[in-house]
Amino acid sequence: MDVTLKKIVEASYLTADSAPHYRTILRYFYGQHEQMRDYIAPEEILEYMKSVPFFPDYSEEQLHQQLAQLVKWNNLIARQDMTNAKTVEEYKKKRFRYQCTPYTVEIERMLSGLEKIGDSFQGSLERSQFDRLLQSLSILEKEVDQSLSKTPEEYMRIWEDVFRYFQSIRTSTADYIAYINSEQTDQRMQTEAFLVYKNQFTTYLRDFIVSLQKTSLQIQERLNSLSEDKLQAFFQKLILHRQSIPRLEDLSSSKEDWLSEYEGYWDSLCRWFLGSGSQRSELEVLQWQTNEMIRRMTRYVQRIGERQQHFRSRKRDYLHLANWFKESSGIDESHRLSSVVFGSMTIQHLSLQEGTTDNLHSDTWDEEPVLRTVKPRTIRYREKTKPGGFDSNEEKKQKQRQQYLEERKHEKQLIEKYMNKGVIELSSIGTVEPFIRKILLSWIGKSMASKNRKVKTDYGLTVEVKLDKNKMITLQAEDGKLSMPNAVFYLEKEGVK
């Protein structure tokens, strides 16, 4: 059947009854795709939809219905996600993350281009684009340093060159990385047919990384030297060129609007390569993504090789090993060679004693070694016994109980040292003992599994934990540092805060 006669069901969301909802959802997916984020959770989409002023009453049930409809229309791909399940019920209940399909990306990109005329794109990792961008930025820096002696038209051409290459880099790399991370490509990489293209893929990605490392530092240096204050005169030249072109639709636009537009474009270019104070640059994300793709391909090739190796005859290996034993000088050397090749010949089982301590925060290397007697594992074995009395361990139990209570009391005193009116805030407690860090992290872990974020401690206290994921801190301890979100612990006793 001719493809031109095929019905495009992927475009159904544009004319559906709930088109505003569908278009808003897919435009958000497209925006995340452009930022190299492939799979989005429903919770994130629901939060975004509620933030849109036109949908204040948008519900979770409505979201799941519309996501299911978009999957039927081939606008989204659903992938089951069970990595964050905290309970058995959540594990059994199907949870999905969603990725927009190539058709949807192309449709949204076309719509975005119609709304604001943009440049074309192609999904690839073009090394030459970075070199061309660096060359254009060098020309721009040279002209700014020479007091802008050329015509406004020539400066507009330089500006368009810079952002044409930048747009090509941004769209093509995002498309190609999304292609590599797609489920279909991931499945193809796990087949033996991928071995034919393995060298081509890895060479392509490696050459891109090498070229990127050569030019990225120079581009960052140019952007750091070209501050917005230094570019103000250049922006004025661009405004003069824009004023010289008669356009009826620009009558309502002012110089301030044009200046703000150029500054916004320049800021997006700087943030892509340099990042911001709270977010790393897209350049670093691109380098990490490319390296991760190479590592993933290497793992797939290794697994395929292991599967092939499993069915390979090891006759030659054994003959070669037998020749080693044949050429050994004596029985002692043969024993040493056997210990390296085969390991110990007498030990058949390893046995470990469990429950050696009641302290949940005890580490393995803190425990004393235990001599363990291994009994024969036969049905005929019986231990020799003889009648006798038994010793009372009451005194020993009392000592252990007293020791346990003293340890709990000491731990509670250490924790109370960091309280301030019944509140412990990690960002203001300074350096803590490793023991205190383990207790606080265990409270955070237990509270995550509780609906009200409260946990009952061993000290008769109820702790409510609140995490501020937008504020990252460094928790100082005597044995190291831990970067984590800031946490505040509200301690309650006997139901009273």
Side-chain angles (χ1 to χ4, degrees), residues 232-289:
Q232 289 300 316
F234 180 79
F235 291 154
Q236 294 301 324
K237 291 286 186 179
L238 299 181
I239 294 174
L240 287 176
H241 174 73
R242 195 162 177 173
Q243 287 178 322
S244 66
I245 302 174
R247 295 182 185 275
L248 297 177
E249 60 270 18
D250 284 347
L251 292 176
S252 59
S253 302
S254 62
K255 293 182 179 180
E256 290 76 13
D257 295 335
W258 291 339
L259 179 61
S260 177
E261 179 183 338
Y262 291 133
E263 289 176 346
Y265 281 131
W266 185 258
D267 181 64
S268 65
L269 173 63
C270 292
R271 282 191 287 108
W272 203 93
F273 282 94
L274 303 177
S276 59
S278 59
Q279 187 177 7
R280 61 177 180 169
S281 66
E282 297 298 331
L283 176 65
E284 294 179 15
V285 175
L286 176 61
Q287 290 175 333
W288 179 85
Q289 290 268 26

Side-chain angles (χ1 to χ4, degrees), residues 26-164:
L26 293 181
R27 182 54 61 90
Y28 181 77
F29 272 93
Y30 170 72
Q32 298 305 309
H33 166 81
E34 290 295 285
Q35 299 178 14
M36 302 182 190
R37 292 189 61 208
D38 298 322
Y39 288 96
I40 311 298
E43 294 80 7
E44 182 178 343
I45 307 169
L46 180 62
E47 183 179 358
Y48 172 75
M49 292 295 289
K50 289 184 176 180
S51 65
V52 177
F54 302 101
F55 314 126
D57 300 325
Y58 196 77
S59 64
E60 183 177 359
E61 181 180 359
Q62 187 178 6
L63 172 66
H64 286 293
Q65 291 176 353
Q66 294 181 346
L67 289 176
Q69 184 61 52
L70 289 172
V71 171
K72 291 181 180 179
W73 285 336
N74 298 328
N75 296 115
L76 296 177
I77 299 173
R79 190 175 193 178
Q80 191 169 356
D81 178 23
M82 295 180 292
T83 56
N84 296 324
K86 300 182 179 67
T87 63
V88 175
E89 289 75 16
E90 290 182 2
Y91 185 83
K92 292 180 178 178
K93 182 181 179 181
K94 288 187 177 181
R95 302 171 70 249
F96 294 95
R97 290 189 304 163
Y98 297 87
Q99 179 192 23
C100 55
T101 60
Y103 256 64
T104 305
V105 172
E106 294 292 342
I107 292 173
E108 284 299 314
R109 188 166 288 154
M110 178 191 68
L111 294 175
S112 179
L114 292 176
E115 294 167 2
K116 49 179 182 180
I117 302 301
D119 298 324
S120 61
F121 67 94
Q122 57 180 357
S124 61
L125 300 179
E126 294 292 341
R127 294 176 291 167
S128 60
Q129 298 296 335
F130 287 91
D131 296 329
R132 294 173 182 174
L133 177 61
L134 175 61
Q135 183 179 2
S136 300
L137 289 174
S138 301
I139 295 174
L140 175 59
E141 183 182 29
K142 180 180 178 181
E143 293 299 329
V144 170
D145 293 337
Q146 291 180 354
S147 302
L148 303 174
S149 57
K150 294 184 179 180
T151 63
E153 184 178 359
E154 292 178 288
Y155 294 128
M156 179 59 73
R157 186 173 64 251
I158 295 174
W159 176 263
E160 290 176 349
D161 287 343
V162 169
F163 280 89
R164 182 171 64 253

Side-chain angles (χ1 to χ4, degrees), residues 183-237:
E183 187 174 2
Q184 185 178 11
T185 304
D186 188 74
Q187 292 175 352
R188 290 176 177 175
M189 286 184 181
Q190 300 181 42
T191 62
E192 295 186 6
F194 173 67
L195 294 176
V196 180
Y197 303 97
K198 182 260 300 183
N199 292 333
Q200 181 181 356
F201 268 103
T202 53
T203 302
Y204 182 71
L205 296 175
R206 184 174 61 251
D207 292 345
F208 174 75
I209 282 290
V210 172
S211 176
L212 182 62
Q213 291 174 342
K214 288 181 179 178
T215 56
S216 60
L217 291 178
Q218 300 180 59
I219 292 176
Q220 290 174 338
E221 183 180 356
R222 298 290 189 281
L223 294 176
N224 284 323
S225 63
L226 290 169
S227 62
E228 286 194 6
D229 294 337
K230 195 174 181 180
L231 288 171
Q232 289 300 316
F234 180 79
F235 291 154
Q236 294 301 324
K237 291 286 186 179

Side-chain angles (χ1 to χ4, degrees), residues 73 106 238 276 295 305 370 378 474 493:
W73 285 336
E106 294 292 342
L238 299 181
S276 59
R295 286 194 291 268
V370 178
T378 63
T474 300
K493 188 173 182 182

